[in-house]
Amino acid sequence: MLNDKPIRILVVDDHSVVRKGLLNLLEDEEDIEIVGEATDGDEALDMIPIRLPDVVLLDITMPRMSGIEVTREATRSYPMVRILIFSMHNNPDYIMNAVQNGAAGYLLKDTGQEEILKAIRTVNGGDLYYPPNASSVIIRNLVVQRSINRSNDNGPITNAPTSIWHRITSREHEILQCLTEGLSSKDIARRFDVSPHTVANQRASIIRKARVRNTAELVSLALRERI
């Protein structure tokens, strides 16, 4: 077993074939425990406080309540639960909306088995997981937003700190930049030649100073405020 404590997974999708396929994929993994399955957003939100999943593997397009609405409510009410979007939509609006509402990761439904397992383990470890195509969408949208803000400001954007961001150190700012690029703690540790534990401590410090609940909210705030 990869971890002493298995990763508790709740699978949420209104298509039974997709849901069963995911359950079959996950059930033989020694470090994963399936704690439930739900067919829509309302059912998922009812099950989270009862089943206490570590990770919710969540479709976006569902009846009664969308995956984005579930993400927003779940991250607000249950901040320790990690939301991993599993969607057929390779659409910038969906991806950015998921990020801004607190999703810890985004996967497309044509993703292979190994990447799905990697994503689950990554978000459970406290990191974000966005494959390169999704990460590029996030960065492109950030660049576009910066251009719009430059036009609105009638001048170049300055790097003057806000009341929140002036609290972070220069190294924390570098780590925050890496997080917005979708790098994992291990990747960041290799970049700066430090231990993953050091990166985790610095990330926790940034989260505390930014007054957010988790890494997903931190990245969303940084993107929104052009940090």
Side-chain angles (χ1 to χ4, degrees):
M1 185 175 292
L2 299 177
N3 296 296
D4 292 334
K5 179 184 175 183
I7 304 169
R8 297 171 59 82
I9 300 285
L10 173 64
V11 176
V12 186
D13 198 298
D14 62 315
H15 292 96
S16 60
V17 173
V18 174
R19 200 169 61 253
K20 296 301 181 185
L22 286 170
L23 295 174
N24 289 337
L25 183 154
L26 300 174
E27 64 183 3
D28 292 330
E29 297 299 315
E30 293 185 356
D31 63 329
I32 289 176
E33 176 186 356
I34 300 168
V35 297
E37 56 180 294
T39 59
D40 60 49
D42 284 343
E43 187 178 359
L45 288 177
D46 288 340
M47 293 180 71
I48 288 174
I50 299 171
R51 304 297 175 87
L52 300 176
D54 298 308
V55 177
V56 177
L57 196 55
L58 178 67
D59 187 20
I60 281 186
T61 309
M62 296 184 296
R64 299 172 63 190
M65 179 180 287
S66 73
I68 296 298
E69 292 174 295
V70 175
T71 299
R72 182 168 56 247
E73 180 60 33
T75 54
R76 180 188 300 123
S77 302
Y78 314 105
M80 297 306 293
V81 175
R82 308 287 285 172
I83 304 295
L84 178 58
I85 297 294
F86 190 63
S87 173
M88 63 181 290
H89 299 290
N90 187 16
N91 180 304
D93 291 336
Y94 280 98
I95 297 171
M96 287 300 297
N97 209 357
V99 172
Q100 291 168 347
N101 281 281
Y106 194 105
L107 287 176
L108 296 176
K109 287 189 175 179
D110 60 1
T111 298
Q113 176 178 348
E114 290 306 313
E115 187 172 354
I116 293 172
L117 295 173
K118 179 181 178 182
I120 289 171
R121 290 163 181 149
T122 297
V123 301
N124 182 68
D127 287 317
L128 301 179
Y129 190 90
Y130 296 97
N133 57 343
S135 297
S136 65
V137 166
I138 295 169
I139 293 169
R140 281 200 305 272
N141 275 270
L142 175 59
V143 171
V144 169
Q145 188 60 49
R146 281 177 169 168
S147 298
I148 293 172
N149 287 332
R150 279 197 184 95
S151 299
N152 291 342
D153 292 343
N154 296 316
I157 295 175
T158 68
N159 291 321
T162 68
S163 59
I164 293 175
W165 300 112
H166 78 276
R167 300 173 185 162
I168 68 175
T169 67
S170 58
R171 174 48 61 87
E172 288 172 344
H173 192 283
E174 292 172 335
I175 288 176
L176 177 59
Q177 179 63 41
C178 291
L179 292 173
T180 64
E181 294 171 7
L183 297 183
S184 69
S185 290
K186 290 182 180 178
D187 292 332
I188 298 171
R190 282 193 292 267
R191 175 175 292 189
F192 296 114
D193 194 24
V194 297
S195 72
H197 180 70
T198 297
V199 173
N201 286 340
Q202 291 174 319
R203 183 181 61 203
S205 174
I206 304 169
I207 288 172
R208 184 178 65 255
K209 291 175 181 178
R211 298 172 183 168
V212 294
R213 295 173 296 181
N214 51 48
T215 305
E217 285 191 4
L218 176 65
V219 170
S220 177
L221 179 62
L223 292 173
R224 196 164 59 245
E225 297 195 359
R226 298 170 286 138
I227 300 302

